[in-house]
Amino acid sequence: MPASAPFIVSYQLEDFAPGGLPFVVGELSAHIAAGHAHLMGIHRHSYYMLALCTEGQTTDILDFEPMTVKAGEMILIVPGQVHEPRQDYTGKGFIIAFSADFLLHQEVSLPTLPSGPVRLSDADFAQACLIITQLQREYTAQTPQYVAMLQHYLSLLITLLYRHASAYMQSGPPLLQRYRSLLSAHFLEWTKPAQYAAALHVSVDHLNEVVKLHTGQTVSAHLNERRVLEAKRLLLHAKESIKEIAWHLQFNEVSYFNRFFKQHTGHTPAAFRDKVREKYLSDPE
């Protein structure tokens, strides 16, 4: 069962991972999905999910937009993305769910921001299918050193993804990478740049200098961007009132939340909720 979370149902990897290993691999088809009806509703994950489509196509709603993954394409869903699979998809493929810590000592970085599906070359698609076959074998047999094998195979799959999609790459110095990880994990409770600088043991000025040099935005701009994205997710999917959403996002006054949201989107929260729900519910295509 999903963990009890406010606003939007959130699944944890331990809900599905046997034996405490933060890694699961499985096949996906309409038939298999029908046996997991709880995953067909609106939800999100606290873990990463890498999917490879081998036949047909699947269409999901990811953060307000329909996202179709076709045969020969791969997609990486990042923690926190709001996800709603469509009931009428025809695709088949594989899904790998894993925590960020599972790849902690591998030489591959994980993105903290979402991106769309990636089309692999024919050669790399064949390679990905072969890697997943080997990965499933290790996962099932659990012979000595199988966890290390799983980590290496997963790193190879993510590297194949990066080969075809620069949008997934989030390079930069270690300080920037640690900052991105902290932002992803703490943007709700840490709303000031000073909190991130303190956790990273640097000054606010130095953190701003590094972040802006490599991203073109200040720490405050990144914080605002993440809070706006989360506000949009909740305004569309959550049942709670705007006041409750404002409190959840650490705004002490609804009026301040209204001004903040309008400044960054051009709409009040109420107007955005009405507009996006009308579009989403009337014509999800």
Side-chain angles (χ1 to χ4, degrees):
M1 295 296 292
S4 177
F7 304 105
I8 298 172
V9 173
S10 179
Y11 289 101
Q12 314 301 313
L13 192 53
E14 52 264 31
D15 298 326
F16 312 103
L21 182 69
F23 178 94
V24 177
V25 58
E27 297 183 15
L28 179 65
S29 67
H31 173 73
I32 294 172
H36 297 82
H38 58 292
L39 291 177
M40 299 303 289
I42 297 168
H43 65 279
R44 57 173 147 198
H45 318 125
S46 65
Y47 49 88
Y48 285 88
M49 193 166 74
L50 182 69
L52 175 70
C53 185
T54 57
E55 296 181 33
Q57 64 182 39
T58 65
T59 300
D60 296 22
I61 306 296
L62 288 174
D63 283 340
F64 330 114
E65 297 296 334
M67 191 74 70
T68 298
V69 184
K70 301 177 181 178
E73 294 182 343
M74 188 184 292
I75 190 169
L76 182 62
I77 299 176
V78 303
Q81 274 191 277
V82 179
H83 181 209
E84 183 181 13
R86 295 294 305 276
Q87 301 285 342
D88 55 352
Y89 67 86
T90 60
K92 293 182 180 180
F94 301 94
I95 285 183
I96 301 170
F98 61 96
S99 71
D101 289 344
F102 188 69
L103 292 178
L104 190 61
H105 300 296
Q106 299 295 304
E107 292 186 4
V108 61
S109 60
L110 291 168
T112 57
L113 295 175
S115 187
V118 171
R119 173 156 294 281
L120 304 179
S121 67
D122 290 346
D124 282 346
F125 174 65
Q127 182 86 328
C129 291
L130 178 62
I131 292 171
I132 289 179
T133 299
Q134 295 295 109
L135 189 148
Q136 285 183 301
R137 185 175 300 164
E138 292 287 344
Y139 182 72
T140 301
Q142 296 190 7
T143 51
Q145 302 299 318
Y146 82 98
V147 173
M149 295 294 288
L150 294 177
Q151 291 169 328
H152 286 299
Y153 282 135
L154 179 56
S155 296
L156 286 174
L157 288 172
I158 293 172
T159 302
L160 284 177
L161 178 77
Y162 287 170
R163 173 180 283 177
H164 296 277
S166 59
Y168 276 102
M169 297 297 289
Q170 294 184 18
S171 58
L175 177 63
L176 178 63
Q177 296 178 27
R178 294 197 302 271
Y179 160 70
R180 282 174 164 151
S181 296
L182 287 175
L183 178 62
S184 180
H186 298 291
F187 72 92
L188 280 178
E189 65 266 30
W190 295 359
T191 61
K192 305 294 183 184
Q195 293 168 292
Y196 295 89
L200 293 166
H201 307 291
V202 297
S203 69
V204 174
D205 287 344
H206 180 62
L207 181 59
N208 255 325
E209 181 181 357
V210 172
V211 170
K212 189 168 185 180
L213 176 65
H214 291 276
T215 71
Q217 293 182 300
T218 64
V219 174
S220 293
H222 282 281
L223 276 166
N224 292 338
E225 185 175 76
R226 292 305 296 268
R227 295 176 86 191
V228 167
L229 174 59
E230 185 66 11
K232 288 179 175 180
R233 289 168 170 166
L234 297 177
L235 289 167
L236 171 58
H237 296 292
K239 299 179 295 183
E240 282 74 12
S241 68
I242 291 173
K243 180 179 180 180
E244 290 171 303
I245 290 173
W247 276 91
H248 179 68
L249 295 172
Q250 306 298 312
F251 290 93
N252 294 329
E253 299 289 340
V254 178
S255 58
Y256 178 34
F257 175 55
N258 286 339
R259 292 195 302 271
F260 172 86
F261 191 83
K262 187 171 183 179
Q263 176 186 351
H264 292 282
T265 68
H267 303 280
T268 65
F272 176 84
R273 171 174 264 182
D274 290 342
K275 180 179 178 181
V276 74
R277 283 185 172 180
E278 180 182 3
K279 174 185 176 182
Y280 179 85
L281 297 176
S282 64
D283 184 15
E285 297 294 337

